[in-house]
Amino acid sequence: MDLKLIAAGLRHCGKLQAFKRGESIQAQLIKQGISNNVFLANNLVSMHLDFRSLVGAHKVFDEMTERNIVTWTTMVSGYTSHGKPNKAIEQYRSMLLDSESEPPNEFLFSAVLKACGLVGDLQLGRLIHERIGKENMKGDVVLMNAVLDMYVKNRRLSEANKAFSEISQPNLTSWNTLISGYCKEGLVDEAVRLFHRIPQPNAVSWNCLISGFVDKGSPRALEFLIMMHRQGLKLDGFALPCGLKACSFGGLLTMGRQLHCCVLKSGLQSSSFALSALIDMYSNCCSLRDAAALFHQANLHCSVAVCNSMLSGFLINDDNEPALGMLLQMYQLGLSFDSYTLSGALKICINLINLRLGLQVHGLVVISGYELDYIVGSILVDLHANVGNVKDAHRLFHRLPNKDIIAFSGLIRGCVKAGFYSLAFDLFRELTKLGLDADQFIISSILKACSSLASLGWGKQIHGLCVKKGYESEPVTATGLIDMYVKCGDIDNGVVLFDGMLERDVVSWTGIIVGCGQNGRAKEAIQYFREMIDSGVEPNEVTFYGVLSACRHSGLLEEARFILESMKSEYGLEPCLEHYYCVVDLLGQAGRFQEAEEIINEMPFEPDKTIWMSLLTACGTHKNAELVTVIAEKLLNTFPEDPSVYTCISNVYASMGMWDRLSEVREAAKQLGTKESGLSWIDVA
């Protein structure tokens, strides 16, 4: 019987995935009593591994009466290649304990080193490296490349360099492995210096560098892509998508179109990887129409990766309805949703603030088994927190095995938005204890909580953290700090921070103007308003309300009238009720009731109770009994069930000695029912 011919048959079955034929041959070998032959058994193990049947391979291995180094090497390699590197290392250790086993050779060492790199077992990797040296195996460049790769995967570049220096004649794999290590650590300049030392770099060498620049977000990726092309090397299915990604984050549409031509010339248009990169490029370059056209022209509608790219493109361009349609199309096609699909689906729900849809997607997440996935789970927390469902968001958050900064950020923002400030502070403390770095978004949310509670002590601690982290100079954080100080009554610190800002946008200008107005510094508010206009920053509706409020608090009537007029004439902004209220209130304070009525009549909408109550109070101050009666009737007819209206009218009647009217109003108020008592609070330092 020709054992070599049988072994070749087993290998052939493995390659062709001929399960039944392979099992039939195995059954014949068992029947003939030769299945325990170590040569045939090794090939049986290999065949089962080709079938991706670790159970079948291990069964043959366990039944073997004799094992050699090939047996152990096959099993270790099999476990590693099938995603179980821990089992591969366990198998290697079992071999070392087997007194009858042969000593490890270069092939086994290579297989174990690969497993060490995948699981991060640096200690075992170092021991094997040491043993390689003792057994004079350093001349084997393939084995030393495995050592080098193990150190690179464990992010030990100094030891990788030492291992590289021990290779007498490094080949291209050696150079490329080390360059890849530097790129993964973000040390691209050092990688470039290594690259220039390679006698003849190949496509992999160039691709390593280009990928490194792309990961770092550097436009030099395109520079090296062009250089690679000029060297006569073919731009393959790795280089072109990398170049397209560089165009994406640089917004380089023209260059992206040129690379699209290269994709077509290279015949890669049917590649899922290249098509996804093209869709991403067009989407990120604000050419969503081209991205959608490319998607619909392709014959790869059933590819999850391509559909995910199109879904992401819609989301990037805030096109939520087509994104929802894309999701529905994927569902109808029966595609399996992965973490990227589900993350996109949840983002649609967040953008649309649609809890009903969100609950449906949540159901899909649970069915797909991604509820505790740290990316999908974090966005799920963000969704529930964003729609005000803080209780469920908090419950989901505590179920996550790995809480990342996204989960914390979403829940803290939701808590602040819903007014659960104490919970937001507790989460912030938990985040700090876990050693996670609070980003600017979390800092901004916590500063809003400090502002809402007027908690100056907490605010100052957060300010200290901002200084420590280097966030103080960032516009978003600086604006949040200014808002916190002015709302806590510490206007001086707010002014100091604002004056120290290098870049000021409309939000920061508005913040200091509103703050000065609220803290009785109307003239400073108006001065900042003028400086803002002189700096070229156009005020918005909130800015105008801030400066008009400052005028109202300080009785600056003429300035307020001028600002209100300029809002319409110079900036084309239509004043809202709040803007008119400020001027009407000022006119009422000045006793200029006719002018106040003229402004009310000119308003493009009906006045609300705030305007009428303001004017009513002013009438009481100036003893205008006739107008008091008119306004009181308007208020009672329009807001017959509002307790605050009765209280205001009663106070005005009492101040003017209109006792009969006062009795009538109080009697009506009694029939309406009593108003619930308000609550106050203080922050005890």
Side-chain angles (χ1 to χ4, degrees):
M1 185 176 288
D2 192 341
L3 298 184
K4 287 185 179 180
L5 188 61
I6 296 170
L10 291 169
R11 288 196 297 272
H12 191 64
C13 289
K15 287 177 183 177
L16 295 179
Q17 298 292 294
F19 304 102
K20 290 184 179 179
R21 183 62 178 163
E23 287 172 353
S24 175
I25 295 173
Q26 184 179 359
Q28 288 295 323
L29 294 176
I30 294 169
K31 188 176 181 181
Q32 294 179 26
I34 57 172
S35 62
N36 281 331
N37 177 279
V38 68
F39 176 64
L40 291 177
N42 286 342
N43 280 279
L44 280 169
V45 169
S46 183
M47 179 189 73
H48 280 287
L49 290 172
D50 285 338
F51 291 161
R52 303 193 66 79
S53 174
L54 285 171
V55 175
H58 209 283
K59 187 173 184 297
V60 174
F61 175 82
D62 286 341
E63 291 172 354
M64 289 176 70
T65 54
E66 180 188 353
R67 298 167 185 154
N68 60 14
I69 195 66
V70 176
T71 315
W72 292 101
T73 303
T74 304
M75 285 301 296
V76 170
S77 298
Y79 276 121
T80 303
S81 60
H82 286 77
K84 294 184 180 287
N86 282 307
K87 290 287 289 181
I89 291 171
E90 186 183 314
Q91 196 80 357
Y92 172 70
R93 294 187 192 279
S94 298
M95 190 210 76
L96 295 179
L97 295 172
D98 188 345
S99 58
E100 296 180 4
S101 66
E102 302 172 54
N105 61 11
E106 64 273 22
F107 301 106
L108 181 56
F109 281 144
S110 294
V112 179
L113 284 166
K114 185 177 180 181
C116 291
L118 292 171
V119 301
D121 194 338
L122 188 61
Q123 185 180 9
L124 179 59
R126 283 170 175 161
L127 287 172
I128 293 173
H129 184 192
E130 187 180 336
R131 188 165 175 178
I132 288 168
K134 287 178 180 177
E135 297 187 13
N136 297 317
M137 293 183 179
K138 288 184 179 180
D140 187 331
V141 68
V142 175
L143 178 57
M144 287 306 292
N145 284 343
V147 173
L148 184 60
D149 184 61
M150 183 273 298
Y151 284 128
V152 164
K153 282 190 169 69
N154 279 284
R155 305 179 69 175
R156 299 285 176 165
L157 285 182
S158 58
E159 290 175 271
N161 269 308
K162 186 171 179 284
F164 181 81
S165 66
E166 293 171 0
I167 304 174
S168 56
Q169 292 184 325
N171 59 14
L172 277 169
T173 303
S174 316
W175 287 102
N176 293 340
T177 303
L178 192 57
I179 288 170
S180 174
Y182 274 103
C183 288
K184 285 174 183 174
E185 292 299 308
L187 304 171
V188 190
D189 292 335
E190 288 83 346
V192 171
R193 282 193 282 273
L194 272 172
F195 175 82
H196 288 308
R197 287 172 54 193
I198 304 176
Q200 285 187 318
N202 61 4
V204 177
S205 315
W206 286 93
N207 285 342
C208 283
L209 268 188
I210 292 165
S211 175
F213 281 120
V214 167
D215 290 340
K216 204 173 180 183
S218 170
R220 291 193 69 191
L222 293 171
E223 176 190 330
F224 274 82
L225 189 76
I226 293 166
M227 287 167 61
M228 178 183 178
H229 183 60
R230 287 175 180 169
Q231 289 290 325
L233 290 166
K234 183 183 178 182
L235 300 182
D236 56 19
F238 185 87
L240 284 169
C242 282
L244 288 165
K245 190 174 180 181
C247 294
S248 294
F249 55 67
L252 305 172
L253 182 58
T254 304
M255 183 66 179
R257 290 188 191 280
Q258 292 176 13
L259 290 179
H260 189 174
C261 293
C262 292
V263 169
L264 295 173
K265 287 180 181 177
S266 303
L268 294 168
Q269 64 271 23
S270 59
S271 161
S272 179
F273 191 32
L275 184 56
S276 294
L278 280 166
I279 291 171
D280 287 338
M281 183 275 295
Y282 281 119
S283 300
N284 282 281
C285 291
C286 302
S287 186
L288 189 60
R289 184 177 294 178
D290 287 328
L294 191 63
F295 175 78
H296 291 301
Q297 288 169 10
N299 295 319
L300 293 168
H301 286 163
C302 291
S303 165
V304 175
V306 175
C307 288
N308 282 343
S309 291
M310 195 65 251
L311 179 64
S312 174
F314 286 127
L315 286 168
I316 289 166
N317 289 275
D318 294 323
D319 219 345
N320 294 298
E321 295 297 336
L324 191 58
M326 182 74 251
L327 191 69
L328 183 61
Q329 183 182 342
M330 291 176 71
Y331 184 74
Q332 289 171 341
L333 287 169
L335 296 177
S336 297
F337 287 7
D338 59 15
S339 61
Y340 295 101
T341 317
L342 293 167
S343 297
L346 290 169
K347 286 173 185 175
I348 295 169
C349 303
I350 291 171
N351 294 343
L352 295 174
I353 318 176
N354 190 328
L355 181 58
R356 183 183 174 187
L357 179 63
L359 291 173
Q360 292 176 20
V361 176
H362 190 167
L364 280 175
V365 169
V366 174
I367 292 168
S368 305
Y370 283 99
E371 191 178 26
L372 300 181
D373 177 84
Y374 81 99
I375 294 175
V376 177
S378 296
I379 301 174
L380 198 54
V381 169
D382 191 17
L383 165 68
H384 283 281
N386 199 55
V387 297
N389 196 2
V390 177
K391 185 179 178 181
D392 283 345
H394 196 245
R395 178 180 56 80
L396 286 166
F397 175 81
H398 280 294
R399 287 186 61 207
L400 289 177
N402 298 310
K403 300 175 181 68
D404 63 0
I405 204 70
I406 298 171
F408 274 101
S409 181
L411 187 53
I412 288 172
R413 187 172 63 253
C415 288
V416 172
K417 186 178 176 182
F420 296 104
Y421 304 120
S422 296
L423 181 55
F425 286 131
D426 289 342
L427 288 165
F428 185 74
R429 289 190 195 98
E430 185 180 345
L431 177 151
T432 307
K433 285 178 183 176
L434 288 173
L436 294 171
D437 281 332
D439 58 20
Q440 295 176 58
F441 302 104
I442 291 177
I443 294 290
S444 296
S445 294
I446 291 296
L447 285 170
K448 284 179 185 176
C450 296
S451 300
S452 300
L453 293 173
S455 179
L456 186 59
W458 254 102
K460 285 185 174 179
Q461 290 182 50
I462 301 299
H463 189 177
L465 180 65
C466 290
V467 173
K468 185 179 177 182
K469 297 284 185 184
Y471 293 155
E472 191 185 25
S473 58
E474 295 291 334
V476 175
T477 311
T479 302
L481 284 167
I482 292 166
D483 182 65
M484 181 274 297
Y485 277 118
V486 298
K487 285 182 178 173
C488 291
D490 191 352
I491 185 64
D492 291 329
N493 266 325
V495 168
V496 169
L497 273 171
F498 179 80
D499 290 342
M501 286 182 74
L502 299 176
E503 295 179 19
R504 299 167 182 168
D505 59 9
V506 66
V507 179
S508 53
W509 280 107
T510 301
I512 197 65
I513 289 166
V514 171
C516 286
Q518 289 174 344
N519 287 272
R521 297 190 178 185
K523 289 184 178 178
E524 286 181 60
I526 294 170
Q527 180 59 35
Y528 276 124
F529 180 72
R530 288 170 181 159
E531 287 178 16
M532 174 184 179
I533 292 167
D534 292 340
S535 71
V537 178
E538 286 202 2
N540 59 19
E541 290 89 343
V542 182
T543 317
F544 276 105
Y545 177 65
V547 72
L548 286 170
S549 294
C551 294
R552 183 175 72 85
H553 288 305
S554 300
L556 302 174
L557 174 57
E558 297 308 320
E559 287 86 346
R561 296 195 73 164
F562 175 79
I563 290 167
L564 183 67
E565 186 58 37
S566 69
M567 183 179 178
K568 293 184 285 186
S569 59
E570 292 185 32
Y571 298 98
L573 297 173
E574 192 61 42
C576 301
L577 270 169
E578 292 81 7
H579 302 105
Y580 284 112
Y581 161 70
C582 293
V583 178
V584 169
D585 188 59
L586 279 166
L587 288 167
Q589 290 175 32
R592 293 157 69 169
F593 297 111
Q594 186 177 347
E595 293 174 66
E597 286 186 274
E598 287 173 2
I599 286 183
I600 290 172
N601 292 331
E602 290 172 2
M603 284 165 47
F605 27 66
E606 289 296 316
D608 65 355
K609 72 171 184 178
T610 308
I611 288 180
W612 285 125
M613 286 167 67
S614 167
L615 203 55
L616 181 69
T617 305
C619 289
T621 304
H622 291 278
K623 310 300 180 185
N624 189 334
E626 183 181 348
L627 194 54
V628 162
T629 305
V630 174
I631 296 172
E633 287 179 3
K634 282 181 180 289
L635 282 167
L636 290 171
N637 290 332
T638 312
F639 309 101
E641 296 182 359
D642 190 330
S644 64
V645 168
Y646 289 89
T647 304
C648 181
I649 293 172
S650 298
N651 292 337
V652 172
Y653 281 155
S655 68
M656 295 182 68
M658 300 171 70
W659 308 115
D660 293 339
R661 294 275 189 178
L662 175 62
S663 298
E664 292 173 9
V665 171
R666 283 186 174 172
E667 188 61 36
K670 284 179 184 177
Q671 293 176 6
L672 180 67
T674 57
K675 177 186 172 184
E676 288 186 14
S677 301
L679 299 173
S680 300
W681 53 265
I682 59 170
D683 185 22
V684 180

